[in-house]
Amino acid sequence: MADPSTTVDASLVEDAATAVPQPISELESLRLLVQQQAAALDTFVKNQQSVNRGKKVGADGLTKKERRALKAGAEKNVEISNAKTNTIDESLNQPKNNVAVNSKSSKGKLQNDSSTPIKSQVKNHTESPPKADTQKSQKTLDAKIKENEKETLSKAEIKAQRRAVQEAQRQAKANQKLVVTPNNNNQATKENIKQNEQNIKLGKKVSPKIDLIKSPIKHRVQLFNHLYVGDFQEQNLKRYTLNKDIHPAFLQLGAQYLSRSILGSNARCLAMLSALKTLTNDFRTPPKQEFCRSLESTLKASITHLNTCRPLAVSMTNALRQFKLLLTQIDTNLSDNEKRSLLQERIDKYIQEEIEKAGEAISNEVNKKISDNDIILIYGYSSLILRILVDAQKAGKKFRVVIVDARPLLEGREMLRRLVCANIECSYLLINAVSFVMSRVTKVLLGAHALLANGYVMSRTGTAQVALVANSFKKPVLVCCETYKFCERVQTDSFVYNEIADPDKVVTVDASEKSSYLLNWRDNNYLTPLNLMYDVTPSDFVTAVVTEIAVLPCTSVPVILRIRPVE
Amino acid sequence: MLEMELFSDVIKLISDIRHSKLHNSYDIAIHTEELVERLISEGKWKSAQDLMSLIKLRIARFISALPQEATPVNIMRHILKIIRDEYDTGFKSKGEGHQSLHHLVTANINDSEDYSKLLPTLKSSLLNNLAEYKVELESSMDNIATQALEHIHANEIILTVGKSNTVEKFLKYAAKSRKFQVIVVEAAPRFHGHLMASNLAKSNIQTTIIPDSAVFAMMSRVNKVIIGTHTVLANGGLRTECGVHMVALAAKRYSIPIMVLAHMYKLSPMHLCSSEQDAFNICASPADVLPYSSGPLLNKVHVYNPAFDYVPPELVTLFISHQGGNAPSYVYRLLSELYHPDDQEL
């Protein structure tokens, strides 16, 4: 067992070392993830086996205490960030002194410093053979390391360190506000970086939060500061890929979400449910624990990992809520195998009822509204809309489809391909030409990411715009959405909850031989490409929402939410 | 053959525009003005009537070749008006400037002028006038830019679409003394917005580039929309780059003012000829929308890449020309000042 884990960890350490000075691109990290998956699968299975044999080594190779320590560390950081900065004046002086002492700190040093804790950790893992009796020794070793850390820092030093961290964070916030004038604060950020280097040197511990500050906050749109994940994501990804608690199916899923190779809320939900099934199947109850409880805690780690890769879709959150509810309701007297099969059965049922049957019902409903010679405008890709149109074609209706597409995702091309394969007559254009065709269109069909409790529709960016133009041309807009995507949340703008995708996608021009003037946008601090994933369509643009239950006005979402059995 | 020689100047202009040697409206305007200037100084004409018919022939020629390109026609149309005015002042026959309503009603139809009398000073006074007009054209962009501070305040978020030299200059002028942010819509598939964004960022303006789809999402936080235009129509509507209509609709939705920077030569006495856009628009190559590499798929689909959008006047808040700001409802009045009523339909 030791072999696969050592190779994985070694490669990770290498990667961590290279990643610190120059953040690796998403693709690279992805490749890394995929590489690890094979190894991770082995370790996971072996860990599970070892669990079955009744040995007490944690599934991830980390001892419980270690994990607890990690958690505590994270909590501590949160505390630090939440604490108010009462003593700004003092803290202003202290880091400066530190800078004076170690003013020659180089980037290379920083790199070493930040990677050493990981290395030492890894050493601990690799040195400890997977026997139950060595667990104790490892525990003591970890404890010793912790003690050492504590000893080297006196209380005053810790205080000073905290203040420095606070100050750094405060300044980082100030920088975020001052993005408009980077010239003035370029120096400030440099100082900031120095300070952070200082902190890291002093503290020896590298927490991801401090690293977040270390990266200069350029190329961010102020309005969306709360949405950028960047370094934090990278750090967390590394932490979680080290964590053998996460089932490889979820690691793979995470990688797919991260690369956005699985897109669309239905597809994402289906993929997650099938991963969930795999997990339920592979999961072995640790000794002296109850199946559902321990599954829930394992699941929690996996879901956190998924959330780090990409924020969960509403459809996924809803499905997960149902699954967790089921875990608490399941009869504890059943055997593990019975529970397992029951859970899998219920997942299948959920897929069948909430997605398949609902899609069928919606398709039937919309098909009643499609008549011959209709010109139907659709936007981007939606599995549900595709199904509706193909069904209508099979029913022998004669209609045309106008596919409106938008960069940078260009999902509409996939839609076009599939509709053409189904022998549906199609036109294709980009979103800026939507006014050009709208006068000739008879209906607009839109998919949705989620329906919010105030009747607004959350969907792929651009949906609101298509609805807006349709509205101005007085064309009916039908939003098709299964009720499992309904959401208690209310939202009136596209700023509070949204996702920011890879900004490089905005500046790459695919269709023609032209190349963009923005390819080296990182060189100019004033330039920020913004790639939003979602927007929110006001309810007054939407004529009706077609659900499997009924055709409703948008404003009836709360009614459905009350009807649906949730908890 | 003879015809080719006669119209060689305008044919050259047409081909230059067609081959994108001249693609911004300012260059086209200057070239047209120079064309007419050459015609006046070197052409074979005796009376004002001769000259006007020469110019009108060129306008006709141009309209038939490039019906979408309004700038050269507008320039020539304005020069016709200059010729008429010079003729009138040369003979002092028709009072000053515009006729009163009373005069118009009581005027004898036979009284109307045919501009056939010879006026020896006409050529020199026209050339003087044209030189003045050229200066006006050349300074128009700067004149518009200097008004920037009247419209942009500190910390604004301004949205613009694609690329316009006038807008770029306007924003850069404002950036000399005020800090503000600009959101540039990239305007796919031509991606002029990318160049615009990189130019603005080079002059240290905080610039965000967004795809066309994110306009509605961003609009609620935008303070002003500032755009250029291809043509201003007689009703105050716009013929603009494709995609501006939805931007204007989104701005209207959030009650955000839309300012259109327009040189006087963009004002055109033409109306939207039909609500069906076929007569109004032209479609560019679909290869930019769906690349040829899509293969057999291309046989089965219609791909559209329209070049223009019609923006109705009720979505426009303000026109800014070198003379100052005007509401869209005032455009008809500007038109009557720019062009002689007899030249509006050509």
Side-chain angles (χ1 to χ4, degrees), chain A residues 236-253:
Chain A
N236 267 353
L237 278 182
K238 279 192 198 101
R239 220 171 70 203
Y240 281 113
T241 41
L242 272 173
N243 189 345
K244 302 293 179 303
D245 240 2
I246 297 168
H247 190 281
F250 278 88
L251 286 180
Q252 186 185 357
L253 195 60

Side-chain angles (χ1 to χ4, degrees), chain A residues 251-292:
Chain A
L251 286 180
Q252 186 185 357
L253 195 60
Q256 282 165 328
Y257 286 167
L258 189 68
S259 68
R260 299 200 153 68
S261 52
I262 295 184
L263 268 180
S265 58
N266 272 349
R268 279 167 73 193
C269 187
L270 283 171
M272 188 198 66
L273 287 174
S274 86
L276 209 54
K277 263 173 76 180
T278 325
L279 173 67
T280 325
N281 192 36
D282 295 350
F283 189 75
R284 298 286 174 275
T285 323
K288 290 178 195 166
Q289 283 194 41
E290 204 270 321
F291 179 81
C292 290

